[in-house]
Amino acid sequence: EIELAESGGGLVQPGESLRLSCETSGFIFANYAMTWLRQRPGKGLEWVSTVGEGGSTFYADSVKGRFTISRDNAKNTLYLQLNFLKTEDMAVYFCAKPRTVHKVTMSSNRYEYAYVGSGTLVTVSS
């Protein structure tokens, strides 16, 4: 059974940082590019960042320079370091596994992903 479990969300003030984790199981993590998505209050799903199998990274313009995606294949875990958080970053953050191995997926479309975790809530408020 494939599982994706996000953690690390919480309440922070603008300008502060958080580190999100996504522990995975049930598939060969190293063979897949992995993605972070988010859903802000009242908005649809939004692509945030993707890390390829070899470590190449891709970011939405809204988070570039502030967020860092990484992976630890030995631990089957995906990370997202969130720095200089803004109120507009407040959202539920999800990790997502694409349908196809060896393919970088950078999409906000839920159906591009075979599995999406249950999410972790990031609240940014002063």
Side-chain angles (χ1 to χ4, degrees):
E1 180 182 3
I2 292 175
E3 294 187 351
L4 306 173
E6 303 92 339
S7 62
L11 171 62
V12 296
Q13 294 186 348
E16 294 186 337
S17 298
L18 280 174
R19 189 192 196 204
L20 308 183
S21 299
C22 173
E23 295 184 15
T24 75
S25 61
F27 65 102
I28 303 175
F29 179 78
N31 285 355
Y32 289 85
M34 294 294 294
T35 290
W36 285 98
L37 305 168
R38 70 183 179 185
Q39 186 164 19
R40 293 185 273 186
K43 304 290 187 180
L45 206 59
E46 177 185 6
W47 174 74
V48 175
S49 182
T50 297
V51 58
E53 301 161 64
S56 53
T57 56
F58 308 87
Y59 299 96
D61 288 343
S62 59
V63 307
K64 198 173 296 182
R66 299 186 299 118
F67 291 7
T68 303
I69 191 171
S70 61
R71 63 190 301 157
D72 185 335
N73 289 343
K75 296 182 178 179
N76 296 326
T77 301
L78 178 71
Y79 302 99
L80 187 68
Q81 178 69 38
L82 290 65
N83 295 332
F84 306 108
L85 280 161
K86 304 176 180 180
T87 54
E88 53 262 43
D89 294 318
M90 183 165 65
V92 178
Y93 285 74
F94 305 91
C95 63
K97 171 191 170 297
R99 297 185 179 279
T100 309
V101 294
H102 313 308
K103 179 183 178 184
V104 172
T105 301
M106 297 185 288
S107 173
S108 298
N109 185 344
R110 167 64 181 88
Y111 297 101
E112 296 285 342
Y113 303 96
Y115 293 89
V116 178
S118 57
T120 186
L121 176 63
V122 172
T123 302
V124 185
S125 176
S126 55

